[in-house]
Amino acid sequence: MTESTHDRHPMTGNEMSPSAAGGIERHQYDVVVIGAGGAGLRAAIAAQEAGARTAIVCKSLLGKAHTVMAEGGIAAAMGNRWPEDNWEVHFRDTMRGGKMLNNWRMAQLHAQEAPERVMELEDWGALFDRTEDGLISQRDFGGHKYARLAHVGDRTGLEMIRTLQQRAFQLGIDVFMECTVTELLKDADGNGRIAGAFGYWRETGRFVVFEAPSVVLATGGIGKSFKVTSNSWEYTGDGHALALRAGASLINMEFVQFHPTGMVWPPSVKGLLVTESVRGDGGVLKNAEGKRFMFDYIPEYFKAETADTVEEADRWYDDKKNNRRPPELLPRDEVARAINSEIKAGRGSPHGGIYLDIASRRTPEFIRKRLPSMYHQFKELADVDITAEPMEIGPTCHYVMGGVEVDPDTELSAVPGLYAVGECSGGMHGSNRLGGNSLSDLLVFGRRAGAAAASYSDGLGGSRPAIAEQDVKAAEQSALAPFEVEGGENPYTIQQDLQQSMNDLVGIIREGAELERSLAEIEAFKERASRMKVEGHRQYNPGWHLSIDLRNMLIVSEAIAKAALAREESRGGHTRNDFPGPDPVWGSKNLVVTLNADGTGVELTEKPLPEMPDELKKYFE
Amino acid sequence: MGYELKMRVWRGDQSGGDLGDYTVEVSEGEVVLDALHRLQATQAGDLAVRWNCKAGKCGSCSAEINGRPRLLCMTRLSDFEPTETITVTPMRSFPVIRDLVTDVSYNYEKARELPGVELGPRDPDGKRRMMQVDVERGQEFRKCIECFLCQNTCHVVRDHEDNKPAFAGPRFFLRYAELDMHPLDTRDRRSAARETAGLGMCNITKCCTEVCPEGIRITDNAIIPMKERIVDRKYDPLVWLGAKIGLRNKDDDGRTEA
């Protein structure tokens, strides 16, 4: 808006250089981080601290990324509540939660480093809830043997993002807000290295080029491809798609987590997350007949560690040594499938969910103190007082386990200079993520990627990659294409049809024939999207922004559906009606997704899982 | 049940604009943001509006509804009569970019001027100890979702653009208060709050508290205690004398001036 009068962008203070060749603004950095959630901020902090000139580029205002919505807590074996807890137990819980498909090295690093990453947040000003001894409090969550989640009421994500944001400002990191990256740029020499990124300011529609030898993708997930989701508009699989187009590979894309508890009413908030802390703090699931049905759904795999009577389950909250966990706290995939079955069997609530009841089990004071956001959310949006009546909830698309295939120690992808962290990376969570392991994942691997990216850029010396001008031109033309179309379709309609299709055909329970149909439908959506049209001009135009994001949603949806069709078994966040059980053969391999030769779709290859060393295997005997 | 809602939505940019009249179908349980999204998807594809979480947690969708500063995602249509026309305008204290989207960079510039926390070393076992009752004061302020409705409403800047350079605003007074009340912070933030942030310009009309969607008692719990502590330091002759002869207020133990 003000480029004619200001040399610096009003939002960020960054130089606008409107007089640059072709009117495209240019910036040089050592490390560019795409995304400003927990992973992006932590990566940028690590890179800047390592001495790299670092920029963060994000689609929204700073502090609004999806991390802000995280509620329950950060999983870290600090042992503040249970001295018996340590990284080995956390590692074991994580691997078992992911049905052993996790990259073992990532799961190990994550469990070992999470406690120090949490302490660091405290050093930077985070105010966690405390134990009676004044230590950081830790709460129970599904799949974690001990109370392990550092938390602040049920707004832990807000605390984390604000702490990191304040730290990033203190370090003087440049932030390009409301700026969307549409393409990664590679070295003009043709040697495959990353050379930078191309994007546009949402505010003005003006293009911007970042020249940087290291790019860290931290763009989050893909939930917006599904109709019922807890994810915001930003979650369009940008990092996944950018990586594919740049030549990197994705793994585990068939594994999509449906969180068991999303709101089901009113319709406008359908899918909105209800934190797992409700169950961690004593809430139980009941069907329309008032039955605690989770006892009917304890899988063989978790039988030995799950309570099989109401009495034992209720004793566990106070005495964890002599009792087993309530089945409501099984990993998310198990609980979501159970809820789905109850609803299908006709034992659901009036609005098509089941009941989550904490009102009859805890005092109103306890509920308001431990779950203030949930209390507020239900009161304001659904007129439900959760201290007096049960909530109606149902599964909602929440998280993608799959993402960019990376080196576990450095988060480097197959493309030199391209790193990926957080939800847009793959491997850490295997086939199913445990609650609380996401926030810790962001911190542990964000820091590792930032440090590795800074060190790579530093090591290049004078041999930095250069951007090819024809690539910039091509990116520009591609972004503007929807303005050139005559009489095409509106992107909102295509997006809605895609969301409905993914929900119906690639949802919580899948089947071969439906997956084949979804792939055919995605092809048709791609065809329609090639002719979509946007109205208006380039200044803050959400229709145009969606048309660009939609391309990413389509390629990522194809990756999910294709991998889901190939994996003929059920495991974690991938359930096949036609292949109901896990298959040990499939349990030993990953499906790797890459862009096909002409760049119009994706293809799959199988790859054996990295083998766990013997000293770690002993935890699973 | 569903009905046809009449809306007036401000459309325009920095060069000017006007209220546009729309009729949009809405249904039970919806919020104002739903109605705007339906407008966007069916009648006005380029209608600019900021939003993210749609759950009152991110503070992106701040605007003025029938003149009241509110979050679009937390304002239910059932708060209005179905026959009532709902008027939506951008936040008034910030320059318009387009339609309902304003340039809130003032807030991010102020955020860059803020001090960070400075804690002493960790305990010998590598952990820190603080009691729940002591962190709760700061936790109230850290509930802030940075919707900037308080900044938008504050009289000091709402009608006096020229005050902006010297005035950080209620959102950032929260930050000073939070640091000041942090059990382990080692700095004394009082002069900074007065001199850099312009706390003295606040005349405690509590408008900020009234519009806070998180219910933070900005005036009572953050601004007034900070003002009292500054006054304490600035005017109290006993405190002045105490400081001169090396006696200190216990509250400031271990804190050095930032």
Side-chain angles (χ1 to χ4, degrees):
Chain A
M1 54 165 277
T2 45
E3 68 265 54
S4 52
T5 49
H6 288 258
D7 289 329
R8 292 191 167 266
H9 189 267
M11 211 61 110
T12 61
N14 287 308
E15 205 178 336
M16 293 284 286
S17 48
S19 55
I24 293 181
E25 183 187 334
R26 285 177 189 254
H27 302 276
Q28 284 83 33
Y29 286 96
D30 298 325
V31 176
V32 167
V33 179
I34 306 173
L41 285 166
R42 189 63 190 83
I45 289 168
Q48 185 90 357
E49 281 178 337
R53 274 202 72 226
T54 305
I56 297 171
V57 187
C58 53
K59 289 212 286 191
S60 285
L61 295 176
L62 186 61
K64 311 301 183 192
H66 219 282
T67 302
V68 82
M69 301 260 322
E71 293 163 354
I74 314 172
M78 310 173 81
N80 289 351
R81 288 261 181 224
W82 297 89
E84 297 86 343
D85 199 13
N86 55 43
W87 77 262
E88 285 105 325
V89 188
H90 191 182
F91 167 71
R92 181 176 184 275
D93 289 347
T94 299
M95 292 293 301
R96 281 174 58 81
K99 298 275 162 61
M100 303 304 287
L101 213 65
N102 320 51
N103 179 301
W104 65 265
R105 176 65 179 157
M106 291 177 89
Q108 178 190 32
L109 289 170
H110 168 260
Q112 287 172 334
E113 295 177 4
E116 178 54 27
R117 297 287 82 76
V118 173
M119 289 300 300
E120 234 163 39
L121 291 183
E122 188 166 72
D123 292 343
W124 298 340
L127 288 175
F128 290 101
D129 287 343
R130 319 306 296 183
T131 66
E132 298 68 26
D133 305 325
L135 298 171
I136 293 175
S137 171
Q138 302 193 266
R139 75 157 32 122
D140 284 308
F141 239 55
H144 292 281
K145 183 164 186 196
Y146 296 110
R148 185 180 282 150
L149 269 69
H151 59 96
V152 185
D154 53 1
R155 57 159 191 89
T156 314
L158 172 64
E159 187 69 13
M160 179 160 144
I161 205 162
R162 204 65 82 227
T163 303
L164 292 171
Q165 168 187 346
Q166 285 162 349
R167 175 74 183 164
F169 269 3
Q170 252 185 299
L171 294 172
I173 296 171
D174 289 341
V175 184
F176 294 74
M177 292 183 222
E178 300 199 312
C179 185
T180 304
V181 169
T182 63
E183 294 296 344
L184 297 176
L185 301 169
K186 296 174 80 173
D187 195 350
D189 277 358
N191 53 21
R193 300 186 298 173
I194 280 292
F198 176 92
Y200 66 91
W201 290 105
R202 293 166 60 78
E203 181 185 325
T204 57
R206 179 182 282 280
F207 294 122
V208 51
V209 167
F210 298 94
E211 296 172 21
S214 296
V215 171
V216 180
L217 297 172
T219 54
I222 55 91
K224 255 323 186 205
S225 293
F226 289 79
K227 187 177 175 205
V228 179
T229 178
S230 62
N231 293 176
S232 82
W233 67 268
E234 293 195 279
Y235 265 39
T236 52
D238 295 2
H240 293 78
L242 289 170
L244 275 179
R245 290 202 292 268
S249 50
L250 310 182
I251 57 167
N252 292 345
M253 289 307 290
E254 62 274 37
F255 300 109
V256 177
Q257 180 168 82
F258 290 81
H259 195 289
T261 60
M263 287 177 81
V264 295
W265 194 91
S268 81
V269 292
K270 190 168 173 135
L272 192 61
L273 189 66
V274 179
T275 176
E276 189 165 330
S277 318
V278 177
R279 282 170 287 139
D281 289 349
V284 296
L285 297 166
K286 290 178 182 165
N287 63 21
E289 296 156 9
K291 183 178 176 194
R292 257 179 94 171
F293 58 83
M294 279 308 299
F295 290 98
D296 301 340
Y297 293 92
I298 303 169
E300 202 52 49
Y301 193 73
F302 292 108
K303 249 191 178 117
E305 57 209 72
T306 309
D308 50 15
T309 63
V310 170
E311 293 71 28
E312 181 180 357
D314 285 348
R315 284 196 304 266
W316 172 86
Y317 291 99
D318 301 315
D319 178 5
K320 292 187 171 54
K321 281 208 187 92
N322 300 307
N323 298 287
R324 294 169 298 173
R325 313 170 53 77
E328 281 87 359
L329 289 174
L330 282 163
R332 288 176 176 173
D333 52 331
E334 308 288 353
V335 182
R337 269 192 300 271
I339 292 173
N340 196 63
S341 303
E342 285 294 306
I343 297 170
K344 277 208 166 149
R347 294 187 288 271
S349 67
H351 296 107
I354 52 97
Y355 295 106
L356 172 59
D357 173 26
I358 192 165
S360 73
R361 298 176 51 86
R362 297 287 183 267
T363 64
E365 296 70 43
F366 177 91
I367 297 168
R368 274 196 295 266
K369 170 89 202 147
R370 298 276 291 200
L371 304 163
S373 306
M374 286 303 106
Y375 176 75
H376 191 229
Q377 179 174 316
F378 274 88
K379 194 92 194 139
E380 299 282 319
L381 294 172
D383 264 334
V384 167
D385 177 357
I386 68 168
T387 68
E389 51 189 318
M391 297 160 248
E392 274 186 79
I393 56 88
T396 177
C397 178
H398 183 56
Y399 188 89
V400 63
M401 271 63 75
V404 183
E405 186 181 21
V406 292
D407 170 70
D409 288 75
T410 62
E411 318 341 302
L412 177 65
S413 73
V415 177
L418 183 63
Y419 301 78
V421 280
E423 192 171 349
C424 78
S425 69
M428 160 68 205
H429 304 289
S431 70
N432 175 53
R433 174 175 71 77
L434 293 185
N437 271 1
S438 180
L439 293 187
S440 40
D441 166 10
L442 310 183
L443 295 170
V444 167
F445 297 107
R447 174 183 155 275
R448 286 184 159 266
S455 146
Y456 167 76
S457 291
D458 187 45
L460 289 174
S463 67
R464 290 201 164 208
I467 282 165
E469 285 314 309
Q470 68 268 26
D471 292 347
V472 175
K473 269 276 158 276
E476 198 177 348
Q477 278 163 5
S478 157
L480 292 176
F483 284 112
E484 313 291 322
V485 175
E486 292 289 331
E489 211 180 336
N490 152 359
Y492 293 100
T493 321
I494 307 174
Q495 186 197 31
Q496 275 167 18
D497 292 350
L498 171 71
Q499 291 168 335
Q500 188 71 54
S501 169
M502 289 299 283
N503 227 72
D504 294 346
L505 305 175
V506 198
I508 185 164
I509 309 288
R510 300 162 173 175
E511 209 168 86
E514 290 186 345
L515 291 167
E516 277 167 14
R517 217 174 91 213
S518 88
L519 284 166
E521 290 190 3
I522 290 167
E523 281 310 310
F525 296 139
K526 280 156 78 173
E527 166 60 25
R528 283 165 63 187
S530 68
R531 288 178 283 108
M532 69 191 154
K533 173 185 174 44
V534 297
E535 51 182 289
H537 51 75
R538 281 163 64 181
Q539 195 189 27
Y540 218 105
N541 183 342
W544 179 43
H545 304 162
L546 176 60
S547 74
I548 293 174
D549 293 347
L550 191 56
R551 297 183 312 175
N552 299 338
M553 297 171 73
L554 286 166
I555 195 94
V556 169
S557 297
E558 183 181 341
I560 295 169
K562 217 165 225 177
L565 178 61
R567 184 172 281 273
E568 296 187 327
E569 67 157 352
S570 292
R571 181 182 298 273
H574 170 65
T575 306
R576 286 282 296 262
N577 244 346
D578 40 356
F579 298 94
D583 175 346
V585 177
W586 274 109
S588 67
K589 56 192 176 190
N590 283 134
L591 284 168
V592 181
V593 181
T594 47
L595 201 64
N596 65 14
D598 60 3
T600 56
V602 298
E603 54 195 23
L604 293 179
T605 46
E606 292 179 10
K607 188 174 176 179
L609 279 183
E611 191 172 351
M612 191 185 290
D614 289 339
E615 72 263 25
L616 294 179
K617 276 187 186 153
K618 69 172 188 241
Y619 298 121
F620 304 95
E621 280 155 8
Chain B
M1 284 301 100
Y3 63 98
E4 301 282 313
L5 171 72
K6 287 197 186 59
M7 292 190 93
R8 309 194 78 194
V9 182
W10 196 88
R11 303 294 308 268
D13 56 29
Q14 60 192 359
S15 61
D18 232 327
L19 286 171
D21 285 295
Y22 299 93
T23 303
V24 60
E25 197 186 316
V26 293
S27 53
E28 191 191 1
E30 290 193 322
V31 294
V32 175
L33 185 60
D34 291 314
L36 291 168
H37 278 159
R38 194 154 305 120
L39 267 185
Q40 221 177 33
T42 56
Q43 303 172 38
D46 59 345
L47 168 65
V49 51
R50 268 198 193 105
W51 69 286
N52 278 292
C53 77
K54 214 171 168 293
K57 292 189 169 72
C58 77
S60 299
C61 62
S62 306
E64 303 193 2
I65 300 172
N66 292 350
R68 268 185 68 85
R70 304 185 67 165
L71 294 178
L72 296 169
C73 74
M74 295 302 278
T75 307
R76 301 183 66 184
L77 295 176
S78 56
D79 295 348
F80 306 87
E81 291 299 322
T83 51
E84 198 175 337
T85 300
I86 296 180
T87 303
V88 188
T89 48
M91 284 193 284
R92 201 180 88 191
S93 300
F94 307 117
V96 166
I97 292 174
R98 183 153 180 228
D99 303 338
L100 301 176
V101 174
T102 54
D103 177 356
V104 293
S105 55
Y106 161 68
N107 302 292
Y108 288 97
E109 282 156 21
K110 291 296 167 190
R112 282 203 182 264
E113 292 168 7
L114 287 180
V117 74
E118 288 180 55
L119 309 186
R122 295 182 190 172
D123 293 346
D125 63 355
K127 303 198 175 189
R128 294 184 186 278
R129 283 163 181 80
M130 295 181 254
M131 298 321 276
Q132 181 65 34
V133 63
D134 295 327
V135 298
E136 266 167 20
R137 296 197 295 173
Q139 281 181 335
E140 181 190 1
F141 309 145
R142 289 180 73 86
K143 286 194 325 200
C144 170
I145 57 174
E146 296 201 331
C147 63
F148 306 129
L149 286 174
C150 59
Q151 304 283 87
N152 172 56
T153 307
C154 179
H155 294 302
V156 178
V157 288
R158 190 165 171 100
D159 299 308
H160 304 278
E161 184 68 24
D162 49 322
N163 280 338
K164 279 185 177 175
F167 187 71
R171 190 277 166 262
F172 300 107
F173 297 149
L174 281 184
R175 175 69 169 152
Y176 279 99
E178 172 214 324
L179 291 172
D180 198 62
M181 296 178 192
H182 191 298
L184 301 179
D185 187 52
T186 56
R187 308 288 262 184
D188 180 343
R189 317 279 180 177
R190 289 176 293 175
S191 334
R194 187 172 56 85
E195 282 151 28
T196 320
L199 185 67
M201 295 163 86
C202 163
N203 48 12
I204 333 186
T205 51
K206 299 200 181 184
C207 308
C208 52
T209 305
E210 275 168 31
V211 298
C212 177
E214 286 295 302
I216 302 170
R217 299 179 65 195
I218 306 173
T219 318
D220 289 351
N221 291 354
I223 295 178
I224 292 175
M226 272 312 275
K227 277 179 174 277
E228 282 171 351
R229 285 181 32 72
I230 289 169
V231 169
D232 237 29
R233 177 192 163 86
K234 216 176 148 205
Y235 301 113
D236 187 333
L238 274 178
V239 172
W240 176 85
L241 182 68
K244 273 281 182 230
I245 61 174
L247 293 174
R248 306 186 53 147
N249 181 332
K250 193 162 173 286
D251 234 18
D252 306 318
D253 264 0
R255 292 185 191 250
T256 56
E257 192 159 309

